[in-house]
Amino acid sequence: KIIHPLVRKEMQKFIKKNIKKRFIFLEIPLLIENNLMNIFDTIFYIKAKKPIRFKRFYLELILRKILFK
């Protein structure tokens, strides 16, 4: 719960910065749980099998370690 206000603030800052763009894409895993659906015009749900999600997660972790040493 502590991190949610920080994430929401960053999300709002990102939207404000990019408001004039034709499309804005956000990845929000807890969209429904945080009742954020009403601020979006369109919501896309992308489903992936668990092994694919884990593979993407681990690849992202590895890239972050490499890029942000």
Side-chain angles (χ1 to χ4, degrees):
K1 291 254 179 196
I2 294 172
I3 198 160
H4 291 295
L6 298 172
V7 172
R8 191 171 295 195
K9 187 176 181 179
E10 287 300 312
M11 180 187 72
Q12 290 169 340
K13 197 162 57 170
F14 179 82
I15 291 171
K16 190 174 183 178
K17 178 182 173 190
N18 294 287
I19 198 72
K20 298 214 181 230
K21 305 255 171 132
R22 186 166 177 195
F23 298 104
I24 301 174
F25 291 91
L26 297 167
E27 181 181 352
I28 306 173
L30 298 173
L31 179 79
I32 294 169
E33 291 85 344
N34 287 304
N35 199 28
L36 298 172
M37 298 88 54
N38 61 341
I39 65 170
F40 297 98
D41 295 325
T42 305
I43 297 172
F44 293 94
Y45 173 75
I46 301 172
K47 183 177 178 180
K49 293 182 180 179
K50 203 174 218 175
I52 294 171
R53 293 193 318 255
F54 280 123
K55 182 179 176 183
R56 290 175 184 164
F57 174 74
Y58 289 124
L59 284 174
E60 184 177 336
L61 282 179
I62 292 167
L63 285 174
R64 285 182 185 203
K65 285 182 181 182
I66 292 169
L67 295 173
F68 300 109
K69 277 189 175 182

